[in-house]
Structures are given as structure tokens and as C-alpha cells.
Amino acid sequence: MSAETPLIIYFGSEVRGESLHQETESLGWTVLAATHSLQALGMYVFYVPDLVIIDSREDSEGAQQVLFHLQSVNAQPLIFISSSTHDALSLADSTGRVLPPTAGDGDIMLAAVPLLRQAMMSVEG
């Protein structure tokens, strides 16, 4: 992991993925967008990202599959954007965050910073 150039995989809508890519490009972050669950899982294996963002608002079933498989290999950190306020998902505070369906790009970025920082410290220490 590089503190200056974190690699992030985003699973969800193509429009949101492109928006996050553009928003974070000036920060030196790389956001790769996946719109299908198998694509996201393949990208995880191939790229070994610093953070995975799973947005369930467009494809709740696909998002649940991605989350299940990534948790089965202890992938972290994760941000999960719920498709409803009734999603009963628990991500450990230190390894992930659950954001409401109303989360905007800024909210996602604010949630990502401490997770990336913590991941970087665990790699260094």
C-alpha cells in the first residue's frame, strides 16, 4: 500500500464509479469501477486493493455476494453503502464502515480516509 496512491475498487453504478474516480484523482487515488459481482471479485484478486467500496443501491444481490466473498477471505478495509436503512450488516469498526443509501461522494471519501490511514499503519507496523 502506498499512502500517496491508494488503489480502490468500487462495486456499483458506473456513473458513481466514474464520479469517485474524478473526485479522487487530484488526491492521487486510483478508483477502479466494477459493475458486475464477478468483475469486482476478479479485480480484488488481481489488484489486491487498499480499499473496497461496495454500493448496493443498484444491485443489492450482487453487492451481498461481493461482500460475502470478500468477508470470507477477510478482505479489509471495506465500505458498504446500504440499499436501505434496514440492512443488517455489521462490519467491525476497525475494518469497515456501513454508510446509508443517501451517502454522497464526499461522505464516501470521508469514510475512506481513516480506513486507508489505519490500513497503511498496519502495513508499516
Side-chain angles (χ1 to χ4, degrees):
M1 167 186 228
S2 168
E4 296 83 32
T5 59
L7 175 62
I8 299 166
I9 292 177
Y10 167 83
F11 170 78
S13 93
E14 188 174 343
V15 172
R16 169 58 69 87
E18 180 60 32
S19 176
L20 284 170
H21 172 75
Q22 290 177 0
E23 293 275 340
T24 60
E25 194 170 30
S26 65
L27 299 172
W29 299 8
T30 300
V31 176
L32 303 176
T35 56
H36 302 286
S37 57
L38 289 177
Q39 180 186 25
L41 295 170
M43 289 170 82
Y44 178 81
V45 170
F46 187 75
Y47 292 108
V48 189
D50 301 306
L51 173 67
V52 178
I53 301 169
I54 304 168
D55 188 343
S56 70
R57 293 175 300 173
E58 273 194 16
D59 183 0
S60 182
E61 186 177 323
Q64 293 290 340
Q65 287 179 335
V66 171
L67 180 63
F68 172 79
H69 287 292
L70 292 182
Q71 286 183 318
S72 75
V73 295
N74 199 28
Q76 51 185 299
L78 302 170
I79 293 176
F80 188 87
I81 303 167
S82 66
S83 59
S84 74
T85 55
H86 303 293
D87 279 341
L89 295 171
S90 63
L91 295 173
D93 286 339
S94 63
T95 63
R97 298 284 186 273
V98 176
L99 298 179
T102 57
D105 291 356
D107 299 317
I108 296 168
M109 291 167 61
L110 286 173
V113 169
L115 293 173
L116 289 168
R117 187 174 296 141
Q118 187 170 20
M120 184 183 69
M121 288 190 302
S122 69
V123 168
E124 290 177 352

